[in-house]
Amino acid sequence: MEDAVLPEQVLNPEEIRALRDVASESRRGVRMPARLEEEFEAHERRAARVTRICLGLIPVFSFGTAPFWQDAVTGTPPELVVLLLWIELGIVVPLFIAVTLSQLRRVESAMAELLLMGGFLLVVACVELIRYRGHDLGHIVEPYLVLTIPVAVVTLARLPLARCIAFVAGYIAVLVVAWLLPGDSPGRGTQELILEVLLLGTALLTAFGTRLSSRRQWAAGKLLSMMAFRDPLTGLANRRALEDRYEIACRTVSRGQQRGMFFALLDMDHFKKVNDLYGHEYGDGVLAELGLVLAQYARRSMDMAARLGGDEFALLLYDCDLNDGRERLAELLDTIRNLGIEHRANHAAVVTVSAGGVAVGPNVPLSDAYHAADHCLYKAKHAGRDNLYVEDLAEKAARRSR
């Protein structure tokens, strides 16, 4: 979607810690929060699209062309021909055309994944039925042909580990049901059973190792992507993320869907003196505290708090007019003052901030909003700091035109 929020910009601290645990191979890095797990699964399904499509096409071509070669290659008894044609052309080929199309068009859907698994389990059941009927007619179908199905699906389809185990369990259930059918079952010898256990175990271990490696690579990539949009000290968005969000919000406002936006700049009062009196480590701690407070005032999906550098912060409030923006800024300044963070060089002996904000209408570039908010910030500081000043850009432009 055009107006979707960039995921790198909205990661909360819990999600960041989880990503770091996974990327660093920490013992805690086994599970991620639900939203990240869903995002990772969608990524895995997209990455497996081509492989899953190929897996779906193999039964289409092999079973679809079987009537032309199976008699010459396998010596199919005439009594089996009708059954084989029904299975091949009436069940498997139509089913796997649907499976292939689902992977082509809706690969991120969990239902497409379940359809893939169910389709191959049905193929296992069909092959076991052919083995069962062929055994009565003296036509032997080797069990190795069936074993290739779970091994291929588990190792190539990039299914979640729980679904790999479920698929293998379904495969075993089909074999047990076939073994319990009345009559003389073809069964499996001891060596064949040992081979199946070894190959299935190897396939599951391979799937587990591949999945774990993929999770770590994805988490590391997610963290790197996040760093391009985040300020490392405060955890807030940086200038680049603010530019992206402002552009998205501005396009939505221009379509007349919301009242407008409110853009504000905030500076800490006498920040240089904080570093001079208390040291840079204390100053960094103050900035981090301010970042936490600002984040609480930008909790809606299209709002954003950003650190632009030094002690300069920005606040973008979506669907917000001048009066609401003024109230939010006043509340924010009170909250910061009430933190009571020591700052002896400030007139209140605690940390305070000054703010300038502007109500922004459609089609106003960020550069214009920034310069206007910066001018308001200058007026707020000139009025005595720990203060705010706001303007409506549209009204200001109208006054100038008159």
Side-chain angles (χ1 to χ4, degrees), residues 239 265-268 271 287 294 306-314 370 374 377:
R239 185 182 294 270
L265 293 176
L266 303 97
D267 266 357
M268 194 175 126
F271 177 64
L287 293 175
L294 277 165
R307 183 188 178 204
L308 304 183
D311 64 323
E312 184 180 32
F313 295 87
Y370 179 90
D374 191 49
L377 176 60

Side-chain angles (χ1 to χ4, degrees), residues 181-193:
L181 288 175
D184 189 12
S185 171
R188 282 166 169 76
T190 302
Q191 292 183 350
E192 293 167 339
L193 289 174

Side-chain angles (χ1 to χ4, degrees), residues 78-279:
E79 296 87 347
L80 273 181
V81 171
V82 175
L83 175 63
L84 288 175
L85 288 175
W86 271 106
I87 290 175
E88 293 162 352
L89 303 182
I91 298 177
V92 176
V93 171
L95 173 61
F96 274 89
I97 289 176
V99 168
T100 304
L101 290 175
S102 72
Q103 299 305 314
L104 182 64
R105 298 177 179 176
R106 301 185 53 126
V107 69
E108 293 184 27
S109 167
M111 289 304 299
E113 193 168 80
L114 292 174
L115 181 61
L116 178 77
M117 296 168 60
F120 276 106
L121 286 178
L122 183 60
V123 171
V124 171
C126 289
V127 175
E128 281 297 308
L129 177 61
I130 294 169
R131 292 186 68 238
Y132 185 91
R133 291 288 295 126
H135 182 74
D136 292 340
L137 300 170
H139 180 66
I140 305 301
V141 178
E142 296 293 343
Y144 310 128
L145 294 175
V146 189
L147 180 59
T148 59
I149 296 173
V151 171
V153 172
V154 168
T155 57
L156 298 177
R158 296 178 76 156
L159 299 172
L161 185 61
R163 290 191 174 174
C164 287
I165 295 173
F167 185 82
V168 171
Y171 169 76
I172 294 172
V174 171
L175 299 189
V176 170
V177 170
W179 180 66
L180 293 176
L181 288 175
D184 189 12
S185 171
R188 282 166 169 76
T190 302
Q191 292 183 350
E192 293 167 339
L193 289 174
I194 292 174
L195 179 62
E196 290 211 26
V197 170
L198 290 175
L199 287 178
L200 290 176
T202 302
L204 285 173
L205 287 174
T206 301
F208 174 77
T210 302
R211 191 78 173 179
L212 186 59
S213 176
S214 183
R215 284 171 69 88
R216 289 170 178 166
Q217 291 176 11
W218 181 83
K222 188 79 172 171
L223 285 172
L224 287 174
S225 180
M226 179 204 71
M227 290 171 63
F229 288 91
R230 286 274 178 174
D231 171 60
L233 176 62
T234 62
L236 296 178
N238 60 15
R239 185 182 294 270
R240 176 183 173 185
L242 177 65
E243 291 172 352
D244 290 346
R245 179 65 58 79
Y246 185 92
E247 182 181 350
I248 292 171
C250 199
R251 286 200 301 268
T252 306
V253 170
S254 67
R255 293 196 289 264
Q257 297 177 358
Q258 304 296 340
R259 290 179 292 172
M261 299 183 297
F262 186 83
F263 180 78
L265 293 176
L266 303 97
D267 266 357
M268 194 175 126
D269 297 326
H270 303 296
F271 177 64
K272 184 177 183 302
K273 293 181 179 179
V274 169
N275 288 332
D276 293 341
L277 281 173
Y278 301 97

